[in-house]
Amino acid sequence: SNPNELSSIPLPESIRFDKSGEVYFRSLRIDDIDKGYLALLSQLTDAPELSRDRFEEVFNNMKKRGDYFVAVGEHVATKKLVACATLVIEHKFIRDGGRAGHIEDVVVHNSMRGKNLGARLMDVLKYVGETGGCYKVILDCSQDNVAFYQRCGFKQKEVQMAVYFPRNQARRAKL
């Protein structure tokens, strides 16, 4: 396995590129901080810049756990990241010790929206979830995005609930 890559799960040729061949999908690499990864995340939510040391610390903690697959879409011509999404695999006591995949942090660069990159990200994460032994892959989304995820094969189920802890939002997690 490549120490600079978050995951060594190989993607099949059928989902490695978008339909135009402009964007290459793969696992996050430690040098993706230089390819606009954090700027891309900031199009989704408040994502303050991390120092290189902190980025590498988080990356290495995720790699060590082995339950993360961060899919990125790299624009072939510019070498900049234009899409990303994360799959976290939860190990469960139910379903005979089964696994469930949770999709988080889905974003396509605003200049690349409408090119089916989000659908390709979902193809990648569903493939990783299935090959990683997940019995399901789930996600939370806004009502505005329900139709998109339904076109990607997801079914609306249950209701999302959340509680936020403001004092922990700015605090560094101790991993």
Side-chain angles (χ1 to χ4, degrees), residues 5-175:
E5 197 160 46
L6 188 60
S7 173
S8 59
I9 296 173
L11 299 178
E13 193 68 38
S14 61
I15 60 173
R16 213 175 293 155
F17 285 90
D18 71 323
K19 288 182 169 85
S20 71
E22 273 187 274
V23 179
Y24 173 69
F25 289 88
R26 58 172 175 78
S27 176
L28 183 72
R29 295 180 185 146
I30 204 159
D31 65 346
D32 284 336
I33 190 172
D34 300 320
K35 294 186 176 192
Y37 180 64
L38 297 175
L40 182 61
L41 284 176
S42 73
Q43 291 187 16
L44 175 68
T45 189
D46 180 34
E49 283 294 316
L50 292 179
S51 69
R52 180 173 299 278
D53 286 347
R54 180 66 175 143
F55 180 87
E56 290 178 2
E57 178 185 358
V58 172
F59 179 96
N60 288 323
N61 282 331
M62 291 171 121
K63 184 172 179 71
K64 182 172 60 178
R65 286 206 34 204
D67 296 330
Y68 287 86
F69 188 95
V70 179
V72 297
E74 181 176 335
H75 191 266
V76 174
T78 65
K79 303 289 187 223
K80 292 290 185 188
L81 299 185
V82 295
C84 64
T86 299
L87 178 74
V88 181
I89 296 177
E90 172 192 11
H91 299 263
K92 302 180 82 69
F93 287 103
I94 61 173
R95 301 207 181 240
D96 196 31
R99 297 175 180 176
H102 298 264
I103 294 177
E104 290 281 340
D105 302 339
V106 179
V107 63
V108 173
H109 193 281
N110 55 25
S111 69
M112 299 293 285
R113 292 183 187 153
K115 298 184 176 198
N116 291 310
L117 300 182
R120 179 61 83 216
L121 276 173
M122 293 303 103
D123 291 341
V124 167
L125 294 185
K126 289 187 302 183
Y127 172 83
V128 171
E130 186 175 22
T131 59
C134 294
Y135 70 91
K136 69 178 178 179
V137 172
I138 59 176
L139 57 81
D140 297 320
C141 69
S142 68
Q143 192 62 43
D144 292 344
N145 291 327
V146 168
F148 165 75
Y149 288 111
Q150 286 174 330
R151 288 191 304 273
C152 293
F154 290 84
K155 293 179 176 29
Q156 190 166 356
K157 190 170 165 68
E158 309 301 330
V159 174
Q160 174 200 29
M161 304 293 288
V163 61
Y164 289 89
F165 304 105
R167 69 184 185 138
N168 291 336
Q169 289 187 355
R171 185 183 296 166
R172 287 172 69 166
K174 298 293 182 201
L175 300 175

